[in-house]
Amino acid sequence: MEGKSRKILFVATILYAILILYFIFFAFNRIDGAIYQITSKVGYTFMFIPEYPPLTFPKLTFGWIYAFGNIAAFIPFGILIPLLYRVSFRKFISLFVLSILFLETMQTLTYLGSFDIDDVISNTLGAAIGFYAYKVGFSSKITYKKLIVSTLSICVLLIGVMVISETINYVIEKKESPIQALNEVKEITGSMPITENLPSFTMAGEKIEPKMNVYISEGDKEKKYTYILGKKKDVNFYANFGIPDNEEFKGEVIIMADGNVKLHNSEEYYTGVNSLSMPLDKVNEITIIVSGNTKLWDVGFGEMKHLWE
């Protein structure tokens, strides 16, 4: 490479590096965030475990654009650095990873961001894609044909990253198991719901025909139902409740998870059919208390599980 062209390339690389450093340390209101963390005495944030695949198939969301930018923004370094300094891939990628690790650490120590291993992985992928593009189109005499092939190779590699990310996401993403009636758990104390010959009723002009169970009180006396699920994690709890049209408008329902009240609803808040979908990170015991004319039906739960579970 001629001396003049090398100087222009060197200046372009420096300017691009400054632009990237600006986004790393100052964009997205990072200074305001740093001031808040310092005044609030928030500790440093280090995330060493990857939380999501680098880049899934395109979605019109800020998250996807940010993930794409985390890869695409570092592709030029894989081309520019080898053009300036003839280095092997192993040496280039090693120095790049060390540089990104240093910048991520400085982000955290200055409160201008956090150390995020996902960013390190995405940035490194971008640099590696850029280096491959350099080998295809820039390592020897540059021609239009080589530039086109180099551009296409970047696109193919990005698509490859998306395919691999989607595959990883499919494997590690938790999916909900079939909904199980709450009364089907092994350990039950207290009352039992109606599970056979389920009654139908009308609520806000809508005919309700329960499919799994019905929970009711005993006249003016409340009824308590308690279930031991067995220390389950990532549970989605489902229920429907309300007061039928042809009954006096009084009654309430209380739902507790491990002694903590998750729902306490009385006739004051009823408006026809009420459907409940409640995520629970951890739960061992579910308690339901029904009083008055309130009816609770199709109460169940689904567990979020990995594919291998």
Side-chain angles (χ1 to χ4, degrees):
M1 183 180 292
E2 297 179 0
K4 187 176 180 180
S5 298
R6 185 181 178 84
K7 287 180 180 179
I8 293 173
L9 189 62
F10 180 79
V11 172
T13 303
I14 295 297
L15 290 175
Y16 188 72
I18 291 172
L19 177 65
I20 294 299
L21 288 173
Y22 167 78
F23 277 99
I24 290 176
F25 289 99
F26 302 108
F28 310 113
N29 296 318
R30 293 188 188 274
I31 293 179
D32 291 339
I35 293 172
Y36 171 77
Q37 290 186 70
I38 293 171
T39 55
S40 302
K41 297 182 180 180
V42 177
Y44 299 127
T45 303
F46 289 90
M47 293 180 283
F48 296 110
I49 300 175
E51 293 186 342
Y52 48 82
L55 185 67
T56 55
F57 291 140
K59 300 172 184 175
L60 294 178
T61 62
F62 174 79
W64 187 88
I65 294 172
Y66 181 84
F68 177 79
N70 255 353
I71 295 177
F74 290 85
I75 291 176
F77 288 113
I79 299 172
L80 295 171
I81 300 300
L83 279 172
L84 287 170
Y85 308 100
R86 301 292 180 178
V87 294
S88 64
F89 176 77
R90 181 180 296 179
K91 186 175 182 180
F92 164 75
I93 210 67
S94 298
L95 291 173
F96 182 86
V97 170
L98 288 174
S99 299
I100 289 299
L101 289 173
F102 172 76
L103 292 175
E104 287 286 320
T105 302
M106 291 305 298
Q107 259 193 322
T108 300
L109 297 180
T110 56
Y111 291 102
L112 293 170
S114 60
F115 183 99
D116 191 343
I117 195 65
D118 286 312
D119 289 344
V120 175
I121 294 171
S122 295
N123 299 163
T124 304
L125 277 173
I129 290 172
F131 193 93
Y132 182 81
Y134 154 76
K135 282 292 187 181
V136 172
F138 299 88
S139 59
S140 57
K141 185 177 179 180
I142 300 173
T143 64
Y144 285 114
K145 184 177 180 180
K146 284 186 175 182
L147 288 176
I148 292 173
V149 173
S150 180
T151 302
L152 289 175
S153 69
I154 291 174
C155 295
V156 170
L157 288 172
L158 284 172
I159 293 172
V161 170
M162 293 180 195
V163 171
I164 293 172
S165 295
E166 287 287 349
T167 303
I168 294 172
N169 198 46
Y170 177 78
V171 173
I172 66 173
E173 185 181 27
K174 286 187 174 183
K175 295 178 175 60
E176 188 175 34
S177 63
I179 296 175
Q180 176 183 348
L182 187 60
N183 53 277
E184 291 179 1
V185 300
K186 294 181 180 179
E187 296 187 50
I188 303 174
T189 60
S191 303
M192 287 289 293
I194 301 171
T195 57
E196 297 181 357
N197 300 318
L198 299 177
S200 61
F201 41 87
T202 302
M203 199 170 291
E206 178 183 349
K207 186 176 181 181
I208 307 298
E209 295 183 342
K211 301 293 189 298
M212 294 191 298
N213 46 46
V214 176
Y215 292 73
I216 59 174
S217 65
E218 292 181 349
D220 294 330
K221 185 180 178 182
E222 69 179 27
K223 219 171 184 181
K224 186 176 181 180
Y225 307 81
T226 301
Y227 302 90
I228 306 299
L229 275 65
K231 296 182 179 180
K232 294 188 180 296
K233 296 181 179 179
D234 294 329
V235 169
N236 289 326
F237 178 84
Y238 301 99
N240 302 282
F241 60 94
I243 299 176
D245 292 343
N246 59 345
E247 298 184 16
E248 185 180 354
F249 202 67
K250 67 174 184 177
E252 64 179 6
V253 58
I254 299 173
I255 298 175
M256 295 187 291
D258 295 329
N260 299 311
V261 176
K262 297 297 183 179
L263 175 74
H264 186 178
N265 222 343
S266 63
E267 67 271 6
E268 181 180 353
Y269 305 102
Y270 285 140
T271 53
V273 178
N274 295 266
S275 295
L276 175 67
S277 176
M278 180 170 56
L280 300 169
D281 293 332
K282 296 179 180 179
V283 61
N284 180 54
E285 181 184 275
I286 293 285
T287 299
I288 298 171
I289 301 173
V290 182
S291 64
N293 294 323
T294 298
K295 282 184 170 54
L296 197 72
W297 70 94
D298 288 344
V299 181
F301 66 95
E303 297 179 74
M304 300 301 294
K305 294 183 177 181
H306 292 109
L307 185 65
W308 60 85
E309 295 177 302

